[in-house]
Amino acid sequence: LGYQTYSRRRHERPSLFGPQRENRGRRRGESIMSWRYRKYEKQLRDADPKLTEIRLWNGDCSRHQFRSLLSTLGNNETAKTLEVRMAFQDADREALSSLLRRNRSIERLEVRGCNLGIAGARLIAESLRTNTTLRVLNLAENNICDDGARCMAEALVSNSALRDLDIGTNNVGPAGGTALFEALERNPGSSLERLVLDWNEIGQGGAAGGVAEAIGRAIRREGVVLAEIGLSMCRIGAGGIGIVADSLRTNSSIRRIDLSGNELDVNKGEEADEAIRRLAVALRLHPAARFVDLRQNNLGDEGMRAMAGLIRHRGEIGMNLRHNTLSDGVAREIASSIRANPSCTQPVLRYLAIVKKRLGEKTTGGEERLFGYLTHIGIRRSYPQHPTRDHRRRWDAPERVRAWWRPLLISVYSAGTQQILRKFHKEEIEVVPFLVWRVGDRLGLGGFFELVRSKPDLFCPALE
């Protein structure tokens, strides 16, 4: 095809941003980007009640068109979501700040990677002091630094409407991180439920203890509603994790906490193991915790054993333990904990059938995915960090991989079956279509339960 023909046909393809019916009205040869801006402009001009979301990417419109759109949006009462992905200039930051002061319908604003900088964060923070409708604010990847984080902290002291704030990857240091959590402590009416500070080195330069103390005070505050905290790659260290763990003992609102990528110092193994033990004890007693992420933290055998004990005593909690050292012995302890506490598994017959088939196969593949689906526990086989002397591939042979996963899959299979039996005897089983179990011959759901009743050992193999 010639270039002109190819270009024309490319612009005539259906929209990549929605079903084809939304592509109606696009002029012949008009780019998708220009057409999307023209569609938003017409809906705003006509006060279309169907306009609830506006998404603009870099190149969708000119600077003048973008500012004109924000000006018109200030009087709109139907749009709930505004997502922008383009590099802002000073006039764009002023227009966005003016929009937040005037508009009373937008509940979700995402300006990720828009080059807001400190000036943009200051303008948005000033708008938040009077805005009472915005619920979700995503400012990730905008390089707001400590000064911008302090401005946002000042806004959080008086704002009681915001529920979700993401300031990840913003070059925020210890001063900015401490200011944000101190603001939550100072605002008794705060309704913030999710705060993400991922990829900000708030614990650098030995300041992890001070930042962790501020986090602890915010968590312990009476009436706090914070349900999710993201502290991935924040360098808070073992001391910071220990302080956060102690604060969780008096908290009843946290449901998810991300502590991944803090890379506990392997040279201080005892301190790191003690911090993880304190975290495991706090989560065991916590009434609401549902998920903890501990990826890439250099956890050793003692730390992993502490998490295995958490699985044994607190089944209804998910955890991600990938990219930590996991020996064969610890894997067997996790398997034993799963068998001791079947409530940590999902009794899904279809996937238990797949597990049973996998145990009988001679090939590997899918074990990690199956285990994670049925338990909400993410683990991965640990490989040596350095190749052997004969420079062979670092990957284990299929037989060794299967031998490592076999106890875990057997424990999941046994625990899931026990869950099914318990629900069956309590008459809580719901008949699900297409559920068929093959045991020599095809059985319906009723036949399967009769077989489980008569031969439970067939479905609960002993742990090898």
Side-chain angles (χ1 to χ4, degrees), residues 85-121:
R85 299 288 178 88
M86 60 177 66
F88 275 32
Q89 296 179 354
D90 291 340
D92 301 326
R93 301 183 185 102
E94 292 284 354
L96 182 62
S97 176
S98 175
L99 168 68
L100 292 177
R101 288 194 298 267
R102 295 165 52 209
N103 185 277
R104 291 295 178 266
S105 65
I106 292 180
E107 299 178 356
R108 185 184 190 93
L109 174 62
E110 296 193 19
V111 284
R112 187 186 187 99
C114 290
N115 191 33
L116 288 176
I118 299 174

Side-chain angles (χ1 to χ4, degrees), residues 182-199:
E182 287 180 348
L184 294 181
E185 181 186 6
R186 291 164 53 192
N187 184 1
S190 174
S191 59
L192 195 68
E193 299 175 358
R194 179 175 180 264
L195 178 59
V196 178
L197 286 169
D198 297 344
W199 291 86

Side-chain angles (χ1 to χ4, degrees), residues 229-250:
I229 301 179
L231 297 172
S232 176
M233 308 297 289
C234 287
R235 298 180 64 180
I236 62 174
I241 290 179
I243 294 173
V244 172
D246 294 340
S247 302
L248 287 175
R249 297 190 178 192
T250 57

Side-chain angles (χ1 to χ4, degrees), residues 44-307:
L44 287 172
R45 185 173 60 250
D46 298 342
D48 189 349
K50 295 182 180 180
L51 179 63
T52 58
E53 298 180 353
I54 296 178
R55 289 182 168 86
L56 293 172
W57 276 261
N58 192 27
D60 282 6
C61 55
S62 66
R63 298 287 177 184
H64 175 73
Q65 290 174 330
F66 174 64
R67 295 162 193 163
S68 175
L69 190 71
L70 292 184
S71 177
T72 308
L73 186 60
N75 300 321
N76 182 270
E77 298 180 355
T78 61
K80 303 295 183 182
T81 300
L82 174 61
E83 181 178 351
V84 183
R85 299 288 178 88
M86 60 177 66
F88 275 32
Q89 296 179 354
D90 291 340
D92 301 326
R93 301 183 185 102
E94 292 284 354
L96 182 62
S97 176
S98 175
L99 168 68
L100 292 177
R101 288 194 298 267
R102 295 165 52 209
N103 185 277
R104 291 295 178 266
S105 65
I106 292 180
E107 299 178 356
R108 185 184 190 93
L109 174 62
E110 296 193 19
V111 284
R112 187 186 187 99
C114 290
N115 191 33
L116 288 176
I118 299 174
R122 183 178 293 110
L123 290 172
I124 291 178
E126 292 174 358
S127 304
L128 287 178
R129 296 178 181 178
T130 57
N131 186 292
T132 59
T133 56
L134 193 66
R135 299 290 183 266
V136 180
L137 178 59
N138 189 339
L139 298 177
E141 302 175 17
N142 276 293
N143 196 31
I144 67 174
C145 303
D146 280 339
D147 291 340
R150 290 193 190 96
C151 294
M152 296 303 301
E154 293 175 3
L156 289 177
V157 172
S158 57
N159 185 288
S160 300
L162 198 64
R163 297 178 182 175
D164 188 324
L165 178 60
D166 189 340
I167 314 183
T169 320
N170 265 301
N171 198 23
V172 176
T178 303
L180 286 167
F181 284 101
E182 287 180 348
L184 294 181
E185 181 186 6
R186 291 164 53 192
N187 184 1
S190 174
S191 59
L192 195 68
E193 299 175 358
R194 179 175 180 264
L195 178 59
V196 178
L197 286 169
D198 297 344
W199 291 86
N200 289 298
E201 296 185 352
I202 60 176
Q204 65 179 350
V211 176
E213 289 288 352
I215 296 173
R217 291 194 299 269
I219 292 176
R220 292 192 301 267
R221 180 179 62 81
E222 185 178 356
V224 66
V225 295
L226 197 63
E228 181 176 350
I229 301 179
L231 297 172
S232 176
M233 308 297 289
C234 287
R235 298 180 64 180
I236 62 174
I241 290 179
I243 294 173
V244 172
D246 294 340
S247 302
L248 287 175
R249 297 190 178 192
T250 57
N251 175 277
S252 59
S253 64
I254 297 293
R255 297 179 62 86
R256 297 176 63 93
I257 183 167
D258 187 351
L259 298 170
S260 63
N262 284 286
E263 296 186 354
L264 307 182
D265 191 351
V266 293
N267 298 322
K268 300 180 180 179
E270 295 183 0
E271 181 182 356
D273 292 339
E274 178 62 25
I276 298 301
R277 280 194 290 267
R278 289 157 64 183
L279 179 63
V281 172
L283 292 174
R284 185 188 305 179
L285 302 175
H286 199 284
R290 289 295 178 268
F291 188 84
V292 57
D293 195 335
L294 291 171
R295 289 171 297 166
Q296 198 175 343
N297 270 310
N298 294 330
L299 299 187
D301 285 351
E302 293 301 321
M304 298 296 281
R305 286 193 178 95
M307 302 313 294

